[in-house]
Amino acid sequence: MSDITPLRGALRHGSGLKRLNGTWGEVLAEFLGTFVLIAFGDGVVAMAVAGLPGSGRTEDPTSFFLGAGDWLLIGWGWAFAVAFGVYVAGGVSGAHINPAVTLAFAVRRRFPWKKVVPYIVAQVVGAFVGAALVYLLYFDAINAFNEAMGVARTDPDGNISFSIFATFPAPYFDGNMWIPLADQIVGTAFLVMFVAAIIDMRNAAVKAGLGPLLIGLAVAAIGISFGANAGYAINPARDFGPRLFAWMAGWGDVALPGTVEGSFSAYFWVPIVGPLIGGVIGVIVYDLFIGDVLHSRELLNRAEEPPGRTRD
């Protein structure tokens, strides 16, 4: 029992225990974990796009992404964001902080279906509030960047500052949605496969305290390898919550439905549908190639134990 005095008066008197120990407590954890994820994830993009240029730390007020180091800043920033989001929420909710993980675990990990919607709502709301915090702290930098660029938020080039909050496809796709969709499916499949491997105690198990860090490294690996294609959302809440906020903050059609004339149209659904499909594929692939093998070995070891011997 912790010696920390609860903030809630009801808990100090022993009431409200069942409510906080159930789904409501898990929803609070998912909200806070996703809030941390976006505060630091969108925060590092804001740093790269608007903060560093506007503070005089780059060649000029509009210079960024001049080399691979800029992308590494983004990749490592998101890795830390994921790791600390999982550290914050992991002990209460398992720290899905991603609807694709929640859906995949409902399909293959016996996660209760009745909790799927509450988890996803908490994740989206947490992402929305995280984006709002980033906007509050970088409001002046964003305005200075757009002014230096000579663009309004709703202009086609407004998607540059919009990239602080959500994702869009690279210009070389020429408006084609199917390859970015495949990119999101593949990236999220890898993410959920890695998560399944890291938390599977039958596999090359890691110590519990290292799990969140390794999940963060998995996100970094995906971003460094595939991120330029479509911004590696690999998380519907991570994209839609901040996208909704950006729409409310004045980015208009660039945010929702995700349209830049001459480049892409109604893109918002891709980083929602792609990750949900990819997450389910990832957990099935892991179980088909690895999980079932580990399960068969476990059953075989049990069958070969001498009669009367108890397992340690």
Side-chain angles (χ1 to χ4, degrees):
M1 175 67 70
S2 172
D3 60 357
I4 299 173
T5 302
L7 291 175
R8 292 172 173 82
L11 291 181
R12 290 197 293 269
H13 297 92
S15 59
L17 299 180
K18 186 174 182 180
R19 176 178 172 81
L20 276 180
N21 198 42
T23 301
W24 177 243
E26 295 169 0
V27 164
L28 290 176
E30 285 296 302
F31 167 85
L32 186 59
T34 314
F35 169 80
V36 170
L37 167 69
I38 300 303
F40 283 86
D42 280 5
V44 74
V45 184
M47 171 75 82
V49 171
L52 290 175
S55 66
R57 292 178 173 87
T58 57
E59 184 175 323
D60 59 62
T62 61
S63 293
F64 67 99
F65 286 155
L66 295 179
D70 296 318
W71 190 250
L72 288 176
L73 171 66
I74 302 293
W76 284 111
W78 274 105
F80 293 141
V82 171
F84 287 114
V86 175
Y87 274 123
V88 165
V92 176
S93 67
H96 296 184
I97 62 175
N98 184 341
V101 173
T102 300
L103 178 62
F105 280 19
V107 170
R108 287 295 304 165
R109 290 296 181 272
R110 297 182 180 177
F111 180 75
W113 282 99
K114 66 180 181 180
K115 294 184 179 181
V116 169
V117 172
Y119 265 52
I120 291 177
V121 171
Q123 292 156 3
V124 172
V125 174
F128 180 95
V129 177
L133 177 64
V134 171
Y135 182 77
L136 173 67
L137 298 178
Y138 281 99
F139 174 83
D140 292 323
I142 292 169
N143 285 343
F145 175 81
N146 282 337
E147 184 177 346
M149 288 283 294
V151 300
R153 295 179 184 184
T154 54
D155 291 344
D157 282 342
N159 70 323
I160 299 176
S161 57
F162 166 73
S163 69
I164 291 170
F165 299 101
T167 64
F168 51 85
Y172 47 73
F173 290 120
D174 197 25
N176 185 323
M177 297 290 184
W178 299 111
I179 301 303
L181 178 64
D183 171 85
Q184 289 299 290
I185 292 172
V186 169
T188 314
F190 276 124
L191 172 63
V192 175
M193 185 192 308
F194 297 156
V195 169
I198 290 168
I199 67 174
D200 192 343
M201 293 298 103
R202 305 167 303 174
N203 206 333
V206 301
K207 292 184 177 180
L210 291 178
L213 180 59
L214 291 177
I215 293 171
L217 291 178
V219 172
I222 294 166
I224 292 170
S225 298
F226 302 108
N229 279 335
Y232 72 113
I234 57 175
N235 180 337
R238 169 265 174 277
D239 192 87
F240 184 72
R243 183 181 295 273
L244 180 61
F245 175 82
W247 175 75
M248 295 175 63
W251 272 270
D253 288 349
V254 174
L256 280 173
T259 297
V260 172
E261 292 297 331
S263 298
F264 52 89
S265 180
Y267 181 75
F268 81 97
W269 63 272
V270 173
I272 295 175
V273 175
L276 292 176
I277 295 173
V280 173
I281 291 174
V283 78
I284 289 175
V285 168
Y286 177 81
D287 283 347
L288 184 64
F289 285 84
I290 304 297
D292 284 357
V293 175
L294 293 171
H295 186 67
S296 68
R297 288 181 176 180
E298 188 175 43
L299 293 178
L300 184 61
N301 288 337
R302 289 177 183 176
E304 292 177 348
E305 286 181 354
R309 179 181 176 181
T310 58
R311 304 187 73 199
D312 294 334

